[in-house]
């Protein structure tokens, strides 16, 4: 997938199949333009909080620093993507030390519905990170992970554990497991077809004629 596919062709194929809302919001971008992320979703649910260490709470998770974030990190498996949402975009959901641990677990990247920080360190590690951008404010006193390996939604896009996450400089799309085989086969076919169309146009074929002949544009 990394070698042959790109987000646009995958999105086009899912559109044709009737899956019209599979792209995450355009604010979620790679920290560096050449970063590509391909892996299985490990969804993480975050929530805002207003005390870093609180006592006598009805939910014991809320009394833990970061909630279940450390447990979620340690539970990452090979070829998985840490994908997180649920909080307000007022603090960073990802950083350098988290990237180090994720890499040790064999994870292939992260997608957060919010900001990341420690940008220089993450870029040095070359760990594919997709976020709203860089912002150093810490999640410690502001947010906690309340669950993981559960279904989540990001701006109406549902992400189930194990769905394929594909991201590049043009965006991040989610391929549901139930259609992944059909999507990947069709996307590979379309990518090959686009190369044929491009060559025809470069050789002088008008766009109308090219679309009429190949059905691709």
């Amino acid at each position: 997938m990394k070698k042959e596919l790109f987000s646009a062709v995958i999105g086009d194929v899912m559109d044709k199949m009737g899956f019209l809302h599979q792209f995450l919001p355009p604010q979620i971008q790679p920290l560096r333009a050449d970063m590509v992320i391909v892996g299985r979703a490990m969804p993480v649910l975050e929530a805002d909080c207003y005390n870093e260490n609180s006592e006598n709470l009805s939910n014991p998770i809320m009394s833990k620093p970061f909630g279940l974030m450390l447990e979620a990190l340690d539970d990452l498996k090979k070829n998985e993507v840490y994908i997180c949402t649920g909080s307000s975009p007022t603090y960073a959901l990802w950083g350098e030390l988290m990237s180090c641990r994720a890499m040790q677990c064999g994870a292939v990247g992260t997608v957060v519905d919010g900001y990341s920080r420690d940008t220089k360190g993450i870029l040095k590690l070359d760990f594919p990170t997709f976020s709203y951008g860089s912002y150093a404010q810490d999640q410690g006193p502001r947010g906690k992970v309340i669950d993981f390996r559960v279904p989540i939604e990001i701006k109406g896009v549902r992400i189930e554990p194990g769905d394929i996450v594909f991201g590049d400089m043009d965006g991040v799309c989610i391929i549901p497991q139930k259609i992944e085989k059909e999507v990947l086969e069709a996307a590979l076919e379309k990518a090959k077809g686009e190369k044929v169309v491009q060559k025809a146009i470069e050789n002088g074929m008008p766009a109308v004629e090219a679309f009429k002949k190949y059905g691709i544009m």
Side-chain angles (χ1 to χ4, degrees), residues 30-46:
L31 284 186
R32 195 179 62 232
D34 65 346
M35 285 181 167
V36 177
I37 193 168
V38 186
R40 298 278 179 187
M42 200 282 268
V44 177
L45 186 60
E46 181 103 5

Side-chain angles (χ1 to χ4, degrees), residues 24-187:
L24 302 187
Q27 296 96 326
I28 299 177
Q29 292 287 318
L31 284 186
R32 195 179 62 232
D34 65 346
M35 285 181 167
V36 177
I37 193 168
V38 186
R40 298 278 179 187
M42 200 282 268
V44 177
L45 186 60
E46 181 103 5
D48 293 343
C49 68
Y50 303 95
N51 289 292
E52 187 166 9
N53 294 301
S54 300
E55 300 295 332
N56 301 318
L57 296 176
S58 56
N59 184 350
I61 291 172
M62 300 303 285
S63 64
K64 297 179 60 172
F66 305 109
L68 296 175
M69 186 194 80
L70 304 178
E71 287 84 351
L73 269 178
D74 285 344
D75 198 57
L76 280 165
K77 305 292 191 296
K78 186 177 179 181
N79 294 324
E80 287 191 329
V81 175
Y82 183 105
I83 181 165
C84 180
T85 191
S87 62
S88 57
T90 55
Y91 49 88
L93 295 171
W94 192 261
E96 182 181 8
L97 292 179
M98 296 175 73
S99 299
C100 283
R101 178 56 184 151
M103 292 174 73
Q104 287 293 315
C105 293
V108 292
T110 186
V111 176
V112 294
D113 187 19
Y115 293 95
S116 56
R117 67 179 203 164
D118 307 324
T119 306
K120 282 187 177 180
I122 294 173
L123 292 176
K124 188 175 179 180
L125 290 169
D126 197 27
F127 187 70
T129 299
F130 287 65
S131 70
Y132 287 13
S134 302
Y135 185 45
Q137 186 149 266
D138 187 24
Q139 68 177 306
R142 301 175 179 89
K144 295 180 187 291
V145 169
I146 58 173
D147 211 348
F148 59 93
R149 293 199 184 279
V150 293
I152 59 173
E153 284 193 7
I154 298 179
K155 303 298 185 291
V157 181
R158 187 173 177 86
I159 302 122
E160 301 269 358
D163 286 347
I164 294 178
V165 181
F166 188 101
D168 58 21
M169 65 188 302
D170 286 330
V172 179
C173 58
I174 305 299
I175 308 172
Q177 291 180 82
K178 62 184 178 181
I179 60 168
E180 65 179 41
K181 186 174 185 292
E182 294 86 348
V183 169
L184 297 180
E185 288 176 352

